[in-house]
Amino acid sequence: MLADHTTLSQFLIEERRRFPEATGDFSALIIDVGLACKAIARRVSNGALGGALGAAGSINVQGEQQQKLDVIANELFVKANEWGGQLAGMASEEMDVPWAIPARYPRGKYLLLFDPLDGSSNIDVNAPVGSIFSILRAPNPGVEPRPEDFLQPGVKQVCAGYAIYGPSTMLVITVGTGVHGFTLDPVLGEFVLTHPRIKMPPTTQEFAINASNARFWEPAVKRYVDECLQGKPGPRGKDFNMRWIASLVADCHRILIRGGVFMYPRDTRDPGKPGKLRLMYEANPIAMIAEQAGGIATTGQDRIMEVKPTKLHQRIALIFGSREEVERIEAYHRDSSGRSYQTAKLEETTELFQAAK
């Protein structure tokens, strides 16, 4: 295997050689993140045999019921990354406040943000789940960061990635030079490069959205989905498939490999909330991966990577995927007619009826 493929360690060493001034801290940090993902993959694969299925009996800062594996995965991420001296601090979707590096360990020049187990509602039904992470530079290396030090826009990320725990475990990362996928070899215990330079197809006939929320969607999203559902006889002139796993990592991985568009838009169910997904732990790292693979990530109005965070657990709308489809959705959001989609449809129908008389 090693004769034919590059391991994650080899890949990172080769990347580091391009920067003679690099100290190796960045590579070491990614290796530690990979170690956490290996440990989580093992616990997930044990399923009911490991006694870790079901609810943990606690609520996280998001107001959501934690699963036992949420808690375990968070602890594995912390323990794998707190000791190495590369990090000034960590923040997790499952923790109220940033994790302070224990005083017995040195503090480094990076910040790590992570969702330790995305899609945990799928654990008990044995559907794919994953981990998502983002790496930033610490504004003040070597000292404990302030909460506001984490509030950097996505364009400041130096690395983003996710692990998907499915039929095989894969680690997908970008360090700003494209997107690369590594498959965990269970015999070697190493991540091996199997998907170099992943490029997202620019066109697609698949979309992913939670259709149960249709009554709350913005007009632009209603218009887009309605056109897709009309299929070949409709304005798009082709048939579409809808895919929805309810696991961001799983949906992202499918779209990255074969194209598609993912939509978790802002809706009218709770006008005070700008979206469902977390900017720092989910939207920013997924946006960096999407853009590095040739896709687009947006709120519908704004580029995700340029949004200035105001809170550590800030929520946001997220639409990403194949370039041509996301550009169409953005164009629908920019429509300045002032009419809702339903009103426009009614007027169009009336005009057609009158023309036929």
Side-chain angles (χ1 to χ4, degrees):
M1 177 66 73
L2 288 177
D4 300 325
H5 293 90
T6 300
T7 66
L8 177 62
S9 297
Q10 289 173 312
F11 173 84
L12 293 171
I13 289 172
E14 290 174 3
E15 284 290 306
R16 194 177 73 200
R17 285 173 179 161
R18 297 170 52 226
F19 304 95
E21 71 282 3
T23 62
D25 286 354
F26 182 60
S27 299
L29 174 56
I30 297 176
I31 293 296
D32 287 344
V33 169
L35 177 61
C37 294
K38 291 178 191 178
I40 295 169
R42 183 175 180 84
R43 298 302 293 267
V44 169
S45 67
N46 284 340
L49 297 175
L53 298 187
S58 55
I59 303 295
N60 66 13
V61 66
Q62 314 292 338
E64 300 167 338
Q65 176 72 51
Q66 286 182 310
Q67 301 295 310
K68 291 178 182 177
L69 273 172
D70 282 323
V71 177
I72 293 170
N74 190 77
E75 182 177 351
L76 289 171
F77 247 93
V78 168
K79 295 304 180 185
N81 289 282
E82 66 178 1
W83 64 275
Q86 298 89 26
L87 291 176
M90 286 183 275
S92 165
E93 181 180 310
E94 299 298 332
M95 299 188 294
D96 294 7
V97 297
W99 178 262
I101 301 296
R104 63 183 180 276
Y105 300 132
R107 288 179 173 82
K109 56 186 177 183
Y110 296 104
L111 302 174
L112 176 65
L113 300 98
F114 55 91
D115 178 354
L117 198 63
D118 171 74
S120 57
S121 61
N122 285 330
I123 292 170
D124 289 353
V125 298
N126 204 27
V129 293
S131 302
I132 311 173
F133 64 93
S134 169
I135 299 175
L136 300 165
R137 295 188 187 278
N140 301 293
V143 300
E144 184 171 341
R146 303 165 299 170
E148 55 266 33
D149 290 343
F150 290 87
L151 302 182
Q152 303 180 39
V155 292
K156 295 291 188 180
Q157 294 174 109
V158 294
C159 177
Y162 65 79
I164 181 169
Y165 314 120
S168 62
T169 293
M170 283 191 66
L171 181 67
V172 176
I173 66 169
T174 178
V175 294
T177 57
V179 179
H180 306 275
F182 300 80
T183 300
L184 181 61
D185 184 327
V187 176
L188 292 175
E190 292 281 353
F191 281 111
V192 177
L193 181 63
T194 52
H195 295 68
R197 297 174 295 280
I198 299 172
K199 282 297 181 183
M200 188 184 300
T203 61
T204 184
Q205 291 179 231
E206 290 187 354
F207 66 96
I209 195 167
N210 184 352
S212 67
N213 293 329
R215 64 194 185 279
F216 302 116
W217 291 340
E218 296 174 309
V221 175
K222 289 181 181 179
R223 176 183 176 185
Y224 176 80
V225 173
D226 187 44
E227 290 180 352
C228 291
L229 294 178
Q230 291 179 54
K232 190 172 292 185
R236 300 303 308 278
K238 60 182 180 179
D239 293 326
F240 281 77
N241 291 323
M242 186 175 77
R243 299 286 185 261
W244 181 254
I245 303 176
S247 168
L248 177 59
V249 163
D251 280 314
C252 177
H253 192 69
R254 183 190 64 253
I255 290 169
L256 193 64
I257 299 300
R258 72 184 194 197
V261 59
F262 174 97
M263 293 171 281
Y264 216 129
R266 182 172 183 167
D267 58 41
T268 61
R269 179 171 37 187
D270 187 346
K273 291 183 178 180
K276 171 70 173 178
L277 300 178
R278 290 77 176 176
L279 174 61
M280 305 303 294
Y281 311 109
E282 296 170 318
N284 270 342
I286 294 299
M288 184 176 182
I289 292 167
E291 289 192 5
Q292 285 290 315
I296 298 176
T298 178
T299 65
Q301 289 90 3
D302 303 301
R303 181 188 178 202
I304 290 289
M305 296 263 282
E306 293 179 348
V307 174
K308 180 64 175 73
T310 57
K311 295 186 297 184
L312 195 57
H313 296 284
Q314 181 175 341
R315 294 179 186 255
I316 197 168
L318 175 60
I319 298 168
F320 73 89
S322 296
R323 175 171 293 276
E324 292 183 11
E325 295 303 308
V326 180
E327 286 177 342
R328 177 180 291 269
I329 297 168
E330 287 182 316
Y332 289 172
H333 276 91
R334 289 194 300 269
D335 186 352
S336 58
S337 65
R339 303 176 300 171
S340 72
Y341 173 53
Q342 295 299 334
T343 300
K345 283 183 66 179
L346 178 60
E347 292 177 358
E348 180 182 345
T349 303
T350 302
E351 290 172 359
L352 290 173
F353 178 73
Q354 290 174 342
K357 289 176 64 176

